[in-house]
Amino acid sequence: MKKFLWVLFVSSFCFSQTSKENAKTYLSNKNYEKAQQELTSFLKTNPSDIEAIELLGDAYGYQKKWDEAIEQYERLKDNYPSNANYHYKYGGALGMKALSISKIKALGIIGDVKQAFLRAAELDPKHIDARWALVELYVSLPGIIGGSNSKALKYANELQNLSKVDGYLAKGYVYEYDDEPELAEKYYKLAIKVGGSVTCYEKLTNFYESNDQPDKAIGNLEEAQQKHQRNAMHYQIGKVCADYNIQLDKGEKCLKAYLSNHSAKDGVPKAWAYYRLAQIYKHKKDKTEALKWINKAIAGLPKIEVFQDEKDVILKL
């Protein structure tokens, strides 16, 4: 009898572990609904499994089911109040909910969002994500409800002590929002010098575009392409050329290179490159080529309204 019960226990334990591992696989494959189902079932027989509760919160979060995610993370941070990451995730889910509801309703939970991030930062002096969240929060909030560039810079300095790249990016972000473009550019360039990741280059490119400096954006993208050899950079260069009607031959060359070397990992579907080529030929007043490429874009993604709008413009050339 004891042997039977032991076998039953071991079998049940192995099944439970397999169930949780399946959920992890579903999450890594971005099959969040399946992960949710697996974890919900698992927690019925293992209601106190900390890892499973957190994973379920993650599964809800990926699906933008903020109330459900908040419920899981709140349970964790209440039961384990010294765990910084639980406070951080709770604050993050609350913050995302605030973005999805009316501004008036959001005001009622902003204080809880801030408190969760502050607690996470206090509990873990090396928690980079919590400090990034505080930088973004203090920059985005109006001063009347707690926004503060000086506080944002305080956490940017803390980030710099933990990671120079993160600190420089954070300072670039703060100064960009504070309408100090020279300082923003300085720190974004420092991030590239120290880190040089694709993300660093993207931040500076976006800064140049938002400040109507397309030539600088193209130069920065070319430097990134030379360093990282990413085909996606070809598309980005072509996009800037098409959007700003500059360096059109370069844009055409880059977009055709993007299409020649395209793979799923590049992220942007071919149809968008066809659309950018259509824009470039429109700028060149070449109606025949512009129509050829916009028709290819529409055939690839027929539900994108901007493609049809572009075709209407081209037809009037």
Side-chain angles (χ1 to χ4, degrees):
M1 184 64 177
K2 288 182 180 179
K3 183 178 180 181
F4 170 76
L5 290 173
W6 174 250
V7 171
L8 185 65
F9 170 77
V10 171
S11 298
S12 175
F13 177 78
C14 290
F15 175 78
S16 295
Q17 292 305 305
T18 300
S19 182
K20 192 160 64 172
E21 291 306 313
N22 286 343
K24 290 180 182 178
T25 301
Y26 286 135
L27 284 171
S28 65
N29 292 331
K30 300 183 179 181
N31 195 338
Y32 305 126
E33 189 172 354
K34 281 281 190 182
Q36 174 194 324
Q37 293 170 357
E38 198 82 27
L39 290 161
T40 301
S41 177
F42 173 81
L43 283 166
K44 286 179 180 178
T45 52
N46 303 271
S48 300
D49 190 295
I50 301 169
E51 183 183 28
I53 295 169
E54 184 176 5
L55 289 171
L56 181 58
D58 295 347
Y60 283 133
Y62 285 124
Q63 296 175 80
K64 299 182 180 179
K65 296 180 178 180
W66 304 122
D67 285 330
E68 292 87 344
I70 289 166
E71 181 182 356
Q72 304 307 315
Y73 297 142
E74 185 172 26
R75 181 180 172 189
L76 289 172
K77 65 102 178 172
D78 286 347
N79 287 324
Y80 302 93
S82 296
N83 186 299
N85 212 42
Y86 296 157
H87 287 275
Y88 166 73
K89 287 193 172 186
Y90 173 68
L94 270 180
M96 294 306 297
K97 178 180 178 178
L99 291 173
S100 68
I101 58 180
S102 71
K103 291 182 179 179
I104 293 175
K105 289 182 178 179
L107 286 174
I109 61 175
I110 287 297
D112 292 334
V113 175
K114 186 189 294 185
Q115 186 57 43
F117 290 149
L118 286 169
R119 184 61 177 150
E122 179 186 352
L123 286 168
D124 185 353
K126 295 183 179 181
H127 202 297
I128 287 177
D129 290 336
R131 282 161 176 79
W132 256 115
L134 285 164
V135 168
E136 293 179 355
L137 188 66
Y138 281 121
V139 163
S140 61
L141 288 177
I144 195 170
I145 56 171
S148 168
N149 281 352
S150 63
K151 289 183 179 178
L153 283 172
K154 170 182 179 285
Y155 287 102
N157 282 324
E158 289 188 12
L159 279 169
Q160 190 172 326
N161 290 333
L162 296 171
S163 161
K164 284 189 176 181
V165 174
D166 283 287
Y168 292 149
L169 288 175
K171 286 183 177 180
Y173 176 78
V174 174
Y175 286 123
E176 183 176 358
Y177 270 81
D178 201 26
D179 198 22
E180 296 192 56
E182 291 182 2
L183 284 171
E185 182 180 20
K186 169 188 171 181
Y187 281 104
Y188 285 141
K189 284 184 172 181
L190 281 171
I192 289 174
K193 184 177 180 180
V194 173
S197 67
V198 171
T199 298
C200 294
Y201 281 104
E202 285 177 349
K203 295 293 185 182
L204 184 56
T205 297
N206 293 338
F207 167 76
Y208 284 140
E209 287 194 73
S210 65
N211 283 273
D212 290 322
Q213 295 177 297
D215 288 305
K216 283 189 173 183
I218 291 169
N220 186 58
L221 284 165
E222 288 179 311
E223 182 183 318
Q225 164 60 18
Q226 187 174 8
K227 179 172 182 176
H228 292 286
Q229 297 296 306
R230 297 282 186 92
N231 190 40
M233 300 292 181
H234 286 129
Y235 172 79
Q236 295 300 327
I237 293 169
K239 172 183 173 293
V240 176
C241 293
D243 278 343
Y244 288 90
N245 190 13
I246 60 170
Q247 302 188 47
L248 297 180
D249 289 341
K250 180 180 289 183
E252 178 186 351
K253 180 180 178 181
C254 285
L255 288 166
K256 287 182 176 178
Y258 178 75
L259 289 167
S260 297
N261 298 291
H262 186 270
S263 67
K265 70 180 182 180
D266 292 327
V268 179
K270 284 185 174 183
W272 282 97
Y274 299 151
Y275 165 65
R276 299 300 179 184
L277 278 167
Q279 284 183 299
I280 283 175
Y281 285 115
K282 177 191 70 176
H283 294 319
K284 290 184 172 186
K285 309 299 182 185
D286 189 335
K287 183 175 180 178
T288 301
E289 281 295 301
L291 279 173
K292 167 188 165 183
W293 290 104
I294 200 62
N295 284 332
K296 285 172 72 72
I298 292 169
L301 291 173
K303 294 183 179 180
I304 303 296
E305 291 184 10
V306 71
F307 292 176
Q308 188 59 57
D309 292 341
E310 185 69 12
K311 183 173 181 177
D312 293 341
V313 173
I314 292 168
L315 286 170
K316 293 176 183 178
L317 288 176

